[in-house]
Each structure stands twice: as structure tokens, then as C-alpha cells.
Amino acid sequence: MATSPPYPTRPPGFADGHAFRPTRWWQRNSVRYTALTALLAVSGLVILALVREQTGTEGFLVGLGLAVLPVPLLMTAFRWLDRVEPGPWRNLVFAFAWGACAAALIAIVANSFATRWIATATADPSHADTLGATVIAPVVEEIAKAAAVLLVFLFRRRDFTGIVYGVVIAGFTATGFAFTENILYLGTAFGTDQLSGGSGLASVTAATFFVRVIMSPFAHPLFTVLTGIGFGIAAVSAEWQRGRRVLVPLSGLLLAMGMHSVWNGSATFGEYGFFAVYAGFMVPAFGLLTWWVIWARQRELRTVREALPAYAAAGWLTPAEPYVLGSMRARRVAREYAAHHFGKGGARTIAEYESYATRLAFLRHRGLRGWAGGDFALRERELLFELWRRREVARPAMGYAGRDAGPRHGYAYGYGGYGPAHPQPVAHGVAAYPSYNPYRS
């Protein structure tokens, strides 16, 4: 005879003590999603029409075919950075769409208007083009791209877990923006070749492709990543550090504008100015920033290994599980084990388990420093409950992945080593439901 489980269907206290507040129609997620989708769709149609008008149909198709080449590589690189605590795909899709549609539209309209205004005011079109490229374009384009990072920061705050995620969102936004911009430049270059008869390696199209796609596909992501780092630092700052939460993203945005301005102005620095800026500034900056972001990713794994043992000591995790979750290789082994024994659904469950456990580690890391906010206990309880829900699949998969972690870290570990019979409270957190054992079979 089936009986109802002795466990609550959601963590205790979720609804207790919270007054009911009616949701206005404009506050509903469905309304917000619809409005945002409509905005991006309209922006996409308008930018498509503008680019096609400037390049022609044939130029647009050529530009599209060439501009898409670096996109999968850049997206794969940023997604690799995000594997420690992967955010939802909808955020990444939004960021790319915003960069490719809304930000590109804002940039084209604002840059064209500003350049025409400067040319009219100064009666010097060459001066207007130079000023527009080195001053107006960096400001307008970086603000337009930063808007996507800001929106994710404000409305998907729990997904914004730190510096690495800020880099990922900024990178996807800039990749989308560069994609649309490359279509315009490559399509225009193809049109020029059609009029002048240029072809082959000596053509304007080949030169544009070499500079924008081969030499500097990382240019726009490099600029906007500085803004993303600023928002990432703000995301891990305490609520009372309001000045830091405002000034650091603003500083990142200003740095992005400055670097963008130097890159755009390199052609005015003399015959070899472009190559000097590229070799002496852009490549070293790209290498340094890449090293730092990879180091930040490794630091996230170290945070997982250092924060989760407290939950293992309280009985919520196995002793070796923090080290499994702190290793990308061990995580992959756990997912492969679950896929082999439980199918694709099992692998997805383990991926969710790893994500929730990582969020728990980050939350505790901030909580120990007093930066987690007033809802720390509730969020900790939510994450522990999500781990408990997936325990039946996670137990054997984590056990298999951690089969060598126990001896290496001094634990006598087996599949059944799930701590005390009843999980205990964890210092600096709630981390316990005294009324039941979440790992009871």
C-alpha cells in the first residue's frame, strides 16, 4: 500500500510568515518575456533591413556567411568558462540576441546621427569620421552592450554568481554585436569589390575578413568583458557596499570605452599605428585577461572544495563529495556514470545536482564574509532541498566519481558513507531539517 513520503514537498518555512501580495499584470514573467521577445524581434527586423539596405542582398549573404565563422568558437570558449556553475541558456540567448539586434541597432542609429551632426557642425567630414570612430562609437557601443549585462544583473540576480559569469554574459553580448557588425563591414567590402572589380587575396573583402575575423575576432568581447568583470565584482559584494556596487561596474565600462577608443584610433597613429597597437597593446591585454579569467575559474573550483566540507561534516554530503564537485574531471565521470545507469535524464539530474551544490558553496563563501544578504538562510535551505531531491541518483554517481577521492584525502569512503544518521546544523547557516533525514532510503 502506497503511503505519502514522510518528507515535506518543499523546505519548511517557505510560505510561513510571508504576506500575500497580488502580482500586477505588468509584473508577470509571461508579460515581461513577451515584451522582451517582441523588442528583440523588432530590433532584429530593423537591423536586418538597415544592413541589407547598405550592403545589398548579395553582399548581405556573403557578409553573413563570413561573419558567422568565429561565432561558434567564441561561444564555445565562453561556455567553457561557465561550466563550473553554468547559468541557464536563456540568459546566454538573450545576451547574444541583445548584442546582435538591440545593441547593434542602437549603435548604427546613434553613430550615424552623431557623425552627421559633427560633419554639419564642423563642415569637415574627415574630422567627423575620425571623431565618430574614436570618441562617439566606443561610448555608444559599450553602453549599448553593457545594457544587456545590467539587465541580467538586475533581473536574474541569482544566476549572476560572480566574476566569471559576468565575463560570460558580456562575452556573449559582444559576440552577437560583432557578428552583426561584421556582416555590415564584410557585405560593404564585397559591394566595393563588385564595383571596382577586386577579387582574390587582393580584394577589400579578403583584407576586411583577415583583419576582423582572423586577427581580431576577440576585440569586441575583450572590451565588453571589462564591463562584465565590473558587474561580477558587484555581484559578490556585500549589500552594504553600495558605492562599490556602483563604482566598480562604472569603472569597468569606462575601461572598456578607453580600450575601444584606442583600438578604433589605431589607424590614425601613423603608417604602422594599427600593427603597433595590435601587437603592443591588444594581444598582451587579451593574453593577460585570458589568464586571469582562467585563474578565476580555478578559484571557483577551489571555493567549492573549501566551502562544502562543512556540509559533509553535518551529514548533507559524503566526505569526498566536495572534492568530486571541485573537479571538472570528476564531475564529468559522475555524469557519464549516471547517463550509463539512468539514461539522459540521470545525466541531467547530476548536472543539476552539481549546479545546486556549486551555488551552495558560493553562497556559503559569501555568507562567511557577511556578503550573502538577509535571505541567506532561506536560500541555503532551498539549495539543500534541491540536493535532497536528487539524492537517489547523486549517491551512486558521486560515489563512483569519488572512488579515489577518499583515500587521497584521508577518508575511508564507500557508496554508503553519507555522514551522520541525521544531518546537523552547520555553523554560519541553517543547513538542517531536524525532523527528517534527507538521505534515508
Side-chain angles (χ1 to χ4, degrees), residues 32 64 113 137 168 230 296 396 416:
R32 291 177 175 177
L64 176 63
F113 173 80
V168 172

Side-chain angles (χ1 to χ4, degrees), residues 133-143 145 219 222-224 226-227 250-266 269 277 281-282 285:
T134 57
V135 178
I136 303 300
V139 173
V140 170
E141 292 176 9
E142 293 309 319
I143 289 177
K145 290 182 286 183
L222 178 61
F223 309 146
T224 312
L226 296 174
T227 304
L250 183 60
S251 299
L253 177 60
L254 293 175
L255 287 174
M257 293 176 181
M259 182 176 287
H260 196 159
S261 179
V262 171
W263 174 245
N264 282 6
S266 60
F269 297 162
V277 170
F281 179 66
M282 291 292 289

Side-chain angles (χ1 to χ4, degrees), residues 272-364:
Y272 300 102
F274 169 80
F275 297 100
V277 170
Y278 180 81
F281 179 66
M282 291 292 289
V283 172
F286 174 74
L288 179 62
L289 193 59
T290 300
W291 171 84
W292 186 80
V293 170
I294 293 175
W295 174 84
R297 182 181 186 266
Q298 293 300 116
R299 185 184 179 187
E300 288 188 340
L301 290 172
R302 187 169 66 249
T303 298
V304 172
R305 293 192 295 268
E306 293 174 352
L308 291 183
Y311 297 97
W316 291 94
L317 305 173
T318 63
E321 198 165 331
Y323 303 99
V324 175
L325 293 165
S327 166
M328 297 307 297
R329 179 182 177 277
R331 288 186 177 199
R332 185 179 68 253
V333 170
R335 291 193 301 271
E336 292 173 350
Y337 178 92
H340 179 73
H341 290 83
F342 303 102
K344 292 183 179 179
R348 184 167 55 252
T349 297
I350 293 300
E352 294 170 350
Y353 186 89
E354 293 168 350
S355 177
Y356 285 120
T358 304
R359 291 191 180 197
L360 180 64
F362 291 168
L363 178 66
R364 179 172 176 80

Side-chain angles (χ1 to χ4, degrees), residues 112-125 127-128:
S112 299
F113 173 80
T115 301
R116 285 198 300 268
W117 180 82
I118 295 173
T120 302
T122 62
D124 186 356
H127 178 69

Side-chain angles (χ1 to χ4, degrees), residues 318 321 337 341 394-403 412-418:
T318 63
E321 198 165 331
Y337 178 92
H341 290 83
R395 181 185 302 180
M398 289 289 153
Y400 179 81
R403 62 194 184 282
Y413 175 64
Y415 292 144
Y418 265 71

Side-chain angles (χ1 to χ4, degrees), residues 150-169:
L150 175 62
L151 289 173
V152 175
F153 181 83
L154 293 177
F155 295 103
R156 287 290 179 264
R157 184 64 184 81
R158 289 195 178 185
D159 297 333
F160 217 112
T161 53
I163 294 173
V164 172
Y165 197 69
V167 169
V168 172
I169 291 295

Side-chain angles (χ1 to χ4, degrees), residues 131-224:
L131 189 61
T134 57
V135 178
I136 303 300
V139 173
V140 170
E141 292 176 9
E142 293 309 319
I143 289 177
K145 290 182 286 183
V149 188
L150 175 62
L151 289 173
V152 175
F153 181 83
L154 293 177
F155 295 103
R156 287 290 179 264
R157 184 64 184 81
R158 289 195 178 185
D159 297 333
F160 217 112
T161 53
I163 294 173
V164 172
Y165 197 69
V167 169
V168 172
I169 291 295
F172 266 75
T173 304
T175 299
F177 183 89
F179 169 64
T180 300
E181 191 177 66
N182 284 341
I183 295 174
L184 177 61
Y185 278 95
L186 290 166
T188 303
F190 179 81
T192 301
D193 288 330
Q194 292 293 96
L195 294 175
S196 64
S199 61
L201 296 179
S203 65
V204 178
T205 304
T208 304
F209 178 81
F210 180 75
V211 171
R212 297 192 65 87
V213 178
I214 302 299
M215 287 186 65
S216 58
F218 59 84
H220 272 290
L222 178 61
F223 309 146
T224 312

